[in-house]
Amino acid sequence: MKYEPENSDENNIAVIEEHVYDWLQKLEIINFELVLYKSYLQDHNCLKSVDKKSKINSILSCINEQIEQNKFHLRTCLFYKNRVSKIRECDDIECETTYLEAHSLFKNRLQYHFKQIKSLKHQIISKDLAFSALKIE
């Protein structure tokens, strides 16, 4: 027999609050990492040839775009965090379902953002290795 919690509403809210807390942490870390990569690549760019500078400038442009996207998601997540408490005020299933669907949509958007950031980080690292004298085996 499967255990059913007595108050699944409270469990849903706890899960949502945990997600929001995790997302905020990830977004703050991403913000720090992007600024760090940007600074590093700008310093690194000064030492390179014109051809390599254009490639680094392209990555810097992507970093700037993702910094803005990340700031947007961070602001949205903070706003969302403040709205989670309104779920407790729902009197019917339809109201709660609306919040749960919004949570699912927001979660999917953030997961897509996290995938884009991961891809950008791989691109930065691979380009940096290509431009450096490091030999990683």
Side-chain angles (χ1 to χ4, degrees), residues 72-73 104-114 116:
F72 169 78
H73 287 301
S104 180
L105 180 64
F106 190 59
K107 180 180 177 180
N108 290 339
R109 286 182 181 161
L110 284 177
Q111 286 176 337
Y112 178 73
H113 175 65
F114 295 146
Q116 286 182 310

Side-chain angles (χ1 to χ4, degrees), residues 124-134 136:
I124 292 167
I125 292 168
S126 68
K127 292 286 186 199
D128 187 45
L129 290 177
F131 297 145
S132 74
L134 294 175
I136 297 182

Side-chain angles (χ1 to χ4, degrees), residues 14 69 76:
Q69 278 293 320
T76 306

